[in-house]
Each structure stands twice: as structure tokens, then as C-alpha cells.
Amino acid sequence: DAKTTQPTSMDCAEGRAANLPCNHSTISGNEYVYWYRQIHSQGPQYIIHGLKNNETNEMASLIITEDRKSSTLILPHATLRDTAVYYCIVNRSGGTSYGKLTFGQGTILTVHP
Amino acid sequence: DTAVSQTPKYLVTQMGNDKSIKCEQNLGHDTMYWYKQDSKKFLKIMFSYNNKELIINETVPNRFSPKSPDKAHLNLHINSLELGDSAVYFCASSQDDLIMNTEAFFGQGTRLTVV
């Protein structure tokens, strides 16, 4: 699975958009970009995933560059409850390798009032 | 209802003891996992089971033995506990579909402390 690089930490003001970048320059054609987050003392929570098109759901938007070497997770209106560690993960589609999520150190997002 | 539930939430035990952590999912998924999060907060997969069969074993010591009595349960039994086993253990499940990608659902974790 491709390796990802994320900033160690970021801050965001409550109500503003939080833009979390991720580099995955070695991503291959059949690998998806996944985002999970882990709020303190809880299990990881799925946010969104995509292959090459931009994706949006009720939690966030995912913008993937045309060359697929980087992506940005956007939380449009961050709240204090969005304070968490955000993990960008690249994973192959399907098969028995699915679920072997390789978590890096992630980005600690702190949303402040 | 909790989708993926683990018990116990906290477990404190002495070195050398044998303990089990239970995991159950009510999502109808056919794949379940155990992850370990160490003191440095790195999350690493330990095991993966698909339809009760082991498909991933990430060089975990033999003291760790997962048991899957049915698709909805994946228990983790640990023999001869060592100090280094202290960590938070997360159970997860997913619908392993060869065509569609889906997400993994995680339990709330079991904090194991070996003293």
C-alpha cells in the first residue's frame, strides 16, 4: 500500500472550514484514498473515501488532485467536536487485503472557539 | 444498538495471566479484525478473519490467538501476558466485497494494562 504524508498538527477556528492535506505520491491506479478520524478515547471512525473524483458526504468533502498524488479533506464548518486525529490512508480495492488499513501518525486537528 | 461492541472496556491484569477480549458485530459483516494501538498511538492490524477463516496474521506472537465461533464474533485470547502487551485493542468489521469498497467500523476499544 502507498505511503501517505500528513502534517503533524493543525488548528482551526470553530465555524471555519478545516482543510487537511495529504500527500500520496506513490499511489497506484487501483488504490483508493480513505480518511478516518479518531476522537480521544474512541475507536477510529470512517469519514469518506474516493478513487479519482471528488466526493462529498454529510461529514466532509474529499478533493483529489488530477494526478492523484495528493488530496485534501475538507470539513466545511468545523465544530469543537471535530477535534481529533485525522488519518489519510491509501488502500487497494477489494479482495482479502481490504481492511488491512495502514494507519500513519495522522494529523492532530484542534478546533478552538 | 452498538454496531461493534467489545468487552471489557478496561482490563488490568498481572504478568503471566491469560485473558480474553470479546468482540461482537451486529452489522451482518463477514470480515472482522483486531488492531492494536500502542503507547505512541500507532494503530496496527493484528488479525483479519473472513467468514470465520484467518486471512491476515501480521506476525503476532503465538500467545495471541483469535477465535471466531461465527461471523458475528471474533474474540482475542492472550496467554502469558507481558508488560509490552499493554495497549488499546480495537475490534473492527467490514463487508468484504470484491467489487465495491466499503468502510470498516471500529469498536470503542479495550484498554489492557499489564502490571
Side-chain angles (χ1 to χ4, degrees):
Chain A
D1 293 333
K3 185 180 165 151
T4 62
T5 305
Q6 300 176 250
T8 304
S9 63
M10 294 182 67
D11 287 339
C12 178
E14 190 177 19
R16 305 297 291 268
N19 299 297
L20 290 88
C22 179
N23 285 323
H24 31 79
S25 58
T26 59
I27 193 170
S28 57
N30 64 348
E31 289 181 316
Y32 283 68
V33 180
Y34 284 79
W35 283 84
Y36 282 76
R37 73 180 182 183
Q38 187 173 23
I39 296 171
H40 181 62
S41 296
Q42 295 185 22
Q45 176 191 24
Y46 165 83
I47 302 173
I48 199 167
H49 75 280
L51 182 63
K52 53 185 178 181
N53 296 324
N54 297 339
E55 302 287 345
T56 296
N57 62 19
E58 65 278 5
M59 287 183 71
S61 294
L62 174 60
I63 309 297
I64 303 174
T65 57
E66 194 169 341
D67 62 8
R68 303 210 322 124
K69 293 185 176 181
S70 65
S71 61
T72 301
L73 177 75
I74 301 172
L75 307 178
H77 305 287
T79 71
L80 298 179
R81 288 179 294 180
D82 291 323
T83 293
V85 181
Y86 287 77
Y87 297 98
C88 170
I89 300 167
V90 174
N91 196 38
R92 282 185 292 162
S93 60
T96 55
S97 65
Y98 178 73
K100 184 183 172 181
L101 299 169
T102 302
F103 289 85
Q105 67 177 22
T107 296
I108 301 170
L109 174 68
T110 303
V111 181
H112 49 85
Chain B
D1 282 343
T2 304
V4 181
S5 59
Q6 302 177 222
T7 54
K9 188 171 182 180
Y10 299 98
L11 182 55
V12 181
T13 187
Q14 291 186 325
M15 281 174 52
N17 283 350
D18 303 338
K19 290 293 178 185
S20 292
I21 306 172
K22 295 185 177 181
C23 179
E24 175 181 7
Q25 54 95 2
N26 62 4
L27 299 167
H29 290 164
D30 57 11
T31 306
M32 295 185 71
Y33 318 85
W34 278 105
Y35 282 78
K36 177 181 179 181
Q37 188 167 38
D38 60 24
S39 58
K40 295 182 180 178
K41 303 297 184 183
F42 283 109
L43 262 164
K44 294 184 68 174
I45 191 167
M46 301 172 67
F47 299 103
S48 169
Y49 268 72
N50 178 265
N51 284 316
K52 303 194 298 176
E53 291 191 15
L54 179 68
I55 55 175
I56 294 176
N57 180 343
E58 287 290 303
T59 60
V60 177
N62 291 337
R63 299 183 295 103
F64 291 78
S65 54
K67 295 224 173 10
S68 182
D70 54 59
K71 278 175 33 173
H73 296 84
L74 181 63
N75 304 322
L76 184 63
H77 188 75
I78 315 170
N79 290 328
S80 303
L81 278 155
E82 301 176 357
L83 294 176
D85 297 331
S86 295
V88 182
Y89 292 84
F90 288 99
C91 178
S93 75
S94 69
Q95 186 59 35
D96 188 11
D97 189 322
L98 292 177
I99 298 173
M100 297 283 292
N101 273 270
T102 57
E103 67 267 28
F105 291 80
F106 285 78
Q108 291 301 296
T110 296
R111 181 174 294 278
L112 171 65
T113 303
V114 182
V115 297

